[in-house]
Amino acid sequence: MTVLKQDKNKSILWGSITDKIELAVMYIVLIVMAAAFIVPFYWLVVSSLKRPSEMFVVPVQWLPSEIQFDNYKNMFGMIPFFQYLKNTMVLVLNNVLGSLISSSLVAYGFSRLRWKGRDQVFVLVLISMILPYMVTMIPLYLLFRDLGWLGTMAPLLVPLYFGNPFFIFLMRQFFSGLPHELSEAARIDGAGEFRIYWQICLPLAKPAMATVAIFAFLRSWSDYIGPLIYLQDSSLYTLSIGVQLIRSNLDPKWAEMMAAGVVMVSPVLLLFFLLQKYFIQGIALSGIKG
């Protein structure tokens, strides 16, 4: 009996030690992975506060010898920053709004309504996701040229209100997971499809909508090719183009470029931290439902 108790105690002790080792390994892996993401951002911020001569010294200088806020001041003076910020925000807000409205409506039609050929059309939408932008770039350019939209923001604004395949897929997966009894109960009470979509499905789809909003924000905020192709007036340029204007062949302006990088990344991080809970929940639910 005593031997059995000793063996049981040893088993419990060994299990406890094993759990602690596994937990320690997990924390080490997480710390290493976190450092892989944090160090580049830290280097960006620190470099934006250094003198240009300190950026490429060997050994690496992890802290500036003297903080240089003039890098930010110079960056704001090299380009019409606030004009470009205004143009960028116009694109971003339209992108987010257009993506939420159009993609949620289309996704509702694919997930909650039954109509002939629905699944086949949805397959076509999924197929369009694999087309790279470079394949459709020239046809779209010719189309917008014939419409007389070149040199305006119309090519960057109007398509946003016709849905995005990836966003439609995310929203459709989420809507498909909602109980159909909710819609049936609303129909019995006399609600139409749009009212069911607006008052029942959308309020429940906040996680998926937050996910779409973040992706739409990132897509528009960092878009460089679109504004470069369609915007011919410098007064309509966005920040992604404006940052490139800081550089020159003779002087890359590394310090000012790093400062611009910090300014460009900060809103993205802020948005993610504000919507982090909804973003993770939306990704999880959209991935397992359907």
Side-chain angles (χ1 to χ4, degrees):
M1 191 72 178
T2 305
V3 174
L4 291 176
K5 287 184 178 180
Q6 290 178 350
D7 292 341
K8 185 177 180 180
N9 292 334
K10 289 181 180 180
S11 178
I12 295 174
L13 180 61
W14 176 251
S16 177
I17 294 175
T18 304
D19 292 340
K20 290 181 179 179
I21 293 175
E22 291 178 354
L23 185 63
V25 171
M26 182 182 68
Y27 276 114
I28 291 173
V29 172
L30 290 175
I31 291 172
V32 171
M33 293 179 64
F37 288 93
I38 294 174
V39 170
F41 180 71
Y42 170 80
W43 182 255
L44 175 69
V45 175
V46 169
S47 298
S48 69
L49 300 173
K50 289 182 179 180
R51 297 188 180 94
S53 59
E54 297 177 342
M55 290 188 181
F56 304 105
V57 296
V58 179
V60 174
Q61 186 173 337
W62 292 99
L63 291 173
S65 59
E66 183 179 354
I67 295 179
Q68 301 291 320
F69 289 110
D70 287 342
N71 295 333
Y72 289 87
K73 181 179 178 181
N74 296 336
M75 183 269 297
F76 286 123
M78 288 179 177
I79 57 175
F81 178 85
F82 293 102
Q83 177 63 37
Y84 292 168
L85 176 62
K86 176 184 175 182
N87 298 336
T88 304
M89 292 308 300
V90 169
L91 290 178
V92 167
L93 293 177
N94 275 276
N95 196 332
V96 173
L97 182 63
S99 298
L100 289 176
I101 294 175
S102 59
S103 298
S104 62
L105 274 171
V106 176
Y108 180 85
F110 279 128
S111 61
R112 313 295 289 185
L113 303 179
R114 296 187 180 277
W115 42 279
K116 187 176 181 179
R118 181 189 68 174
D119 295 337
Q120 290 76 9
V121 175
F122 183 67
V123 170
L124 292 177
V125 172
L126 295 181
I127 292 175
S128 67
M129 290 174 57
I130 68 176
L131 291 176
Y133 178 71
M134 298 305 173
V135 173
T136 60
M137 182 173 62
I138 295 178
L140 286 175
Y141 181 87
L142 296 177
L143 173 64
F144 295 142
R145 183 199 63 184
D146 294 339
L147 292 174
W149 289 359
L150 296 183
T152 69
M153 283 195 174
L156 303 174
L157 296 177
V158 175
L160 306 176
Y161 291 88
F162 288 88
N164 177 282
F166 178 63
F167 299 157
I168 292 173
F169 170 75
L170 281 180
M171 296 293 294
R172 186 257 184 191
Q173 295 298 97
F174 191 91
F175 284 147
S176 297
L178 297 179
H180 285 274
E181 290 78 8
L182 295 175
S183 301
E184 293 172 0
R187 291 190 186 97
I188 293 175
D189 291 338
E193 291 298 336
F194 184 80
R195 186 177 179 184
I196 295 173
Y197 155 79
W198 186 258
Q199 294 187 351
I200 296 178
C201 292
L202 275 190
L204 295 174
K206 288 181 180 179
M209 294 181 67
T211 304
V212 169
I214 291 176
F215 280 127
F217 180 92
L218 291 174
R219 176 187 176 187
S220 183
W221 181 263
S222 60
D223 186 17
Y224 177 73
I225 297 296
L228 182 65
I229 294 175
Y230 300 120
L231 300 181
Q232 301 171 354
D233 186 353
S234 60
S235 63
L236 298 177
Y237 283 173
T238 59
L239 282 177
S240 58
I241 297 180
V243 170
Q244 296 299 318
L245 297 179
I246 296 176
R247 297 184 57 185
S248 66
N249 294 330
L250 298 178
D251 186 1
K253 304 288 184 183
W254 291 115
E256 289 77 9
M257 287 286 291
M258 294 294 182
V262 173
V263 173
M264 289 289 292
V265 170
S266 298
V268 177
L269 294 177
L270 179 62
L271 179 68
F272 176 77
F273 284 122
L274 290 176
L275 301 178
Q276 180 181 10
K277 181 180 71 173
Y278 292 110
F279 175 75
I280 296 174
Q281 186 179 359
I283 288 292
L285 295 177
S286 299
I288 64 177
K289 299 291 184 181

